[in-house]
Amino acid sequence: MLTEQQAQAEAAPRMTHKQVLEVLVGLMLAMLTSMISTSVVGTALPTIVGTLGGQDQLAWVASATLLTMTASTPLWGKLSDLYGRKLMFQAALVIFLLASVAAGFSQNMGQLIAARAVQGIGAGGLAALPQIILGDVVEPRERGRYSGYIGAVFGVSTVAGPLLGGFIVDNMSWRWTFWICVPLAVIAFVVIQKVLKLPLVRRDTKVDWWGATFITGGTTALMLMLSLGGQEFDWNSGWTYGLGALSLVLFGLAVVAERRAADPILPPRLFRNNTVVLSSLASLLVGAAMFGALMFLPQYLQIVKAMSPTGSGLMTLPMVLGLLTSSILVGRFVTRTGRWKIFPVAGMLLVALGLFLLSRLHVDTSLVIVGVDIAVLGIGLGASMQILILAAQNAVTRGDMASTTSGVAFFRSLGGAVGVAAFGAILTNRLSAELIALAKAAHLPLTGGAMPNLGSPAAIHQLPAPVLEVILEAFTRAIHMVFLVGVPIAVLAAVAALMLKEIPLRSAQPSPATADPTAPPVPAK
């Protein structure tokens, strides 16, 4: 229990609109640094492997950051409660910056993978802490107008990362894919140091080490299974079953540890709050649908439509514009009216519609139609992602806000990992089946030793016309299934959002010293 003095110290600092925007610039720069650095590497991976070798370790370069980011996200919220938001945010930024520099200096794949893993730890903090800090400086009723800008950062980084990666690979050393965002990180650090003024509250409590160990251990085992299954080992293998069982055991121990801890990382009372549970479930489903679509759409554009990596990156601009526009407009409407429930419901239905439209793409589909389809997807994502976090924050006391925010971010990242793994397996299996069926119908020898190399779009488009036609049709049919599977996932997210109780957004937070943590918040007057 906090003393009354501590409770007053934790009251949200009153900031002017200009001051909030100054803080927001620092937060957005840090998030942009993290997200671009994560996405920019994908374009450079073939060049990196060509320089450092280690083709058999390629999956680890991509998986290491996602693994440690997801595993560390729940911890950053609690650490910020114990040691202060500003200090932890700057610590996450420094960890990410130093790891990025180290990654650029890597001399072998082992060093690169280690640096990428450390990058993920910093990225976990940069994924959760901006929303937590925004929750400290802006009350829920006003938060929508600002959270829309944070949501837009995701869309901008989705385009900027691949474009920047392509430019660097074509004109500079691949090492600059890791160094290019260092100036942004330094500027973000300086901005936050100058403009973010939050009271430092010293809590007389201990770190929940057992909970931290079991939560990160269970997440790591699960992420290893999802990230490396189908690549480093078969899905139907001892590794899959062993890692799956280990994750279940560790998560079970985490439940026990959190119930016994004096100050748990993820307080069990949060899981008795229907709004937090449903927001987390919807975020998990959003992550699965979103990352699954974003991961495989460029493959359609590059393989079927013969676009360059830069061109396929530019084709995501309609989605970014849709996401940017809807997130800002929805945020302003929520701030003005205090009503929010309709947006995650409608947003996820638009995501479902966008995925359904993408499932109807063909080899000769116009790029204009592709742009319209992904714009629908972007509008839906912009209307829903940040509102789910806002709803969860509004349903808890200030003392639980950090744990709640990092928990929702954790489930979204976990959903993304599940979506990428599941959709990747669907694509691989369906592509193989379609290739065999279409080749047999066309009397082409595309099975066994005569199977062509599908490793790169350039190699595919060098094949003879009859073979190329079969491959493009097979890939189009396979990706149909990927997007089609995403439709019911998005619909389930809409159902979860529909079950949320629309608690009016507060204009003031309840005092953590006097509020019952399990009680619903008091609506704004």
Side-chain angles (χ1 to χ4, degrees):
M1 184 72 70
L2 296 177
T3 65
E4 186 62 33
Q5 182 180 7
Q6 288 173 322
Q8 293 173 358
E10 279 206 322
R14 294 295 178 180
M15 288 189 173
T16 65
H17 177 62
K18 179 181 177 182
Q19 290 173 322
V20 173
L21 288 180
E22 289 174 346
V23 172
L24 198 61
V25 167
L27 299 180
M28 291 171 65
L29 281 175
M31 292 180 67
L32 192 63
T33 299
S34 169
M35 292 178 180
I36 287 182
S37 295
T38 300
S39 61
V40 76
V41 177
T43 310
L45 275 180
T47 304
I48 293 172
V49 172
T51 303
L52 300 181
Q55 177 70 40
D56 58 327
Q57 298 174 300
L58 180 63
W60 281 101
V61 178
S63 302
T65 302
L66 182 61
L67 189 157
T68 52
M69 180 185 76
T70 305
S72 65
T73 296
L75 309 184
W76 283 105
K78 181 54 63 178
L79 289 174
S80 74
D81 277 342
L82 297 176
Y83 303 112
R85 313 281 196 241
K86 182 175 180 177
L87 178 61
M88 287 298 97
F89 181 80
Q90 291 179 318
L93 196 54
V94 169
I95 289 171
F96 189 88
L97 189 153
L98 294 178
S100 298
V101 173
F105 281 112
S106 298
Q107 300 301 307
N108 55 58
M109 290 293 278
Q111 293 177 6
L112 179 59
I113 291 168
R116 291 279 288 165
V118 178
Q119 260 191 326
I121 296 174
L126 298 179
L129 291 172
Q131 293 281 2
I132 296 172
I133 292 173
L134 186 64
D136 276 337
V137 301
V138 182
E139 301 300 348
R141 181 64 179 266
E142 297 294 321
R143 205 171 295 160
R145 65 191 296 195
Y146 301 109
S147 62
Y149 295 106
I150 289 183
V153 171
F154 173 81
V156 172
S157 64
T158 301
V159 174
L163 288 177
L164 195 57
F167 175 81
I168 291 172
V169 169
D170 290 339
N171 298 280
M172 306 165 68
S173 167
W174 62 265
R175 299 181 185 277
W176 281 98
T177 59
F178 298 103
W179 297 337
I180 195 68
C181 288
V182 169
L184 280 178
V186 173
I187 294 172
F189 186 96
V190 172
V191 169
I192 289 299
Q193 177 63 30
K194 181 180 179 181
V195 304
L196 183 60
K197 308 297 182 183
L198 292 175
L200 178 61
V201 179
R202 298 288 185 183
R203 290 174 179 264
D204 185 19
T205 187
K206 296 180 179 179
V207 178
D208 176 20
W209 292 114
W210 284 115
T213 300
F214 293 137
I215 290 172
T216 55
T219 305
T220 299
L222 180 60
M223 292 297 297
L224 284 172
M225 183 188 75
L226 294 173
S227 301
L228 303 180
Q231 299 183 59
E232 297 294 312
F233 49 82
D234 293 334
W235 287 110
N236 186 18
S237 69
W239 278 105
T240 300
Y241 300 131
L243 288 170
L246 178 61
S247 67
L248 289 176
V249 170
L250 291 173
F251 282 136
L253 292 173
V255 172
V256 175
E258 296 301 85
R259 291 176 67 88
R260 294 182 177 181
D263 193 7
I265 291 172
L266 291 176
R269 62 178 172 271
L270 295 182
F271 298 96
R272 296 192 294 270
N273 185 314
N274 287 337
T275 300
V276 174
V277 171
L278 290 170
S279 296
S280 298
L281 175 60
S283 294
L284 185 145
L285 295 169
V286 168
M290 174 179 64
F291 286 105
L294 295 179
M295 179 66 67
F296 299 108
L297 180 61
Q299 292 193 35
Y300 167 81
L301 294 172
Q302 292 181 39
I303 293 176
V304 179
K305 308 303 288 186
M307 300 184 71
S308 66
T310 302
S312 66
L314 286 172
M315 271 302 298
T316 61
L317 277 175
M319 185 194 73
V320 174
L321 292 174
L323 191 151
L324 179 66
T325 302
S326 65
S327 62
I328 292 174
L329 292 179
V330 166
R332 290 183 176 276
F333 182 87
V334 168
T335 294
R336 187 170 67 251
T337 66
R339 307 305 297 266
W340 53 265
K341 180 176 176 178
I342 184 61
F343 295 110
V345 177
M348 289 318 302
L349 290 177
L350 283 174
V351 170
L353 175 61
L355 291 171
F356 175 75
L357 293 174
L358 288 171
S359 74
R360 297 172 62 83
L361 297 177
H362 299 289
V363 175
D364 57 352
T365 298
S366 165
L367 291 179
V368 174
I369 294 178
V370 176
V372 171
D373 293 349
I374 61 178
V376 172
L377 185 67
I379 292 171
L381 290 173
S384 54
M385 285 197 304
Q386 299 305 310
I387 300 301
L388 289 171
I389 293 178
L390 176 60
Q393 290 177 333
N394 185 60
V396 299
T397 61
R398 182 175 295 279
D400 283 336
M401 188 188 64
S403 296
T404 299
T405 305
S406 57
V408 174
F410 164 75
F411 282 109
R412 187 168 66 190
S413 296
L414 185 61
V418 172
V420 170
F423 289 3
I426 292 169
L427 179 66
T428 301
N429 293 333
R430 188 60 183 263
L431 177 59
S432 177
E434 292 290 350
L435 271 175
I436 293 172
L438 289 171
K440 183 178 180 180
H443 305 291
L444 292 175
L446 292 184
T447 57
M451 182 72 74
N453 176 22
L454 303 183
S456 71
I460 292 173
H461 285 276
Q462 294 299 318
L463 294 169
V467 177
L468 177 61
E469 182 179 347
V470 167
I471 292 174
L472 296 186
E473 181 62 29
F475 190 87
T476 302
R477 292 186 183 184
I479 209 161
H480 283 177
M481 182 57 66
V482 170
F483 291 129
L484 205 55
V485 169
V487 173
I489 295 176
V491 171
L492 286 175
V495 172
L498 186 63
M499 295 172 65
L500 287 167
K501 180 180 179 181
E502 186 170 27
I503 302 171
L505 297 179
R506 298 186 304 268
S507 297
Q509 293 274 13
S511 168
T514 58
D516 177 5
T518 63
V522 179
K525 300 297 184 182

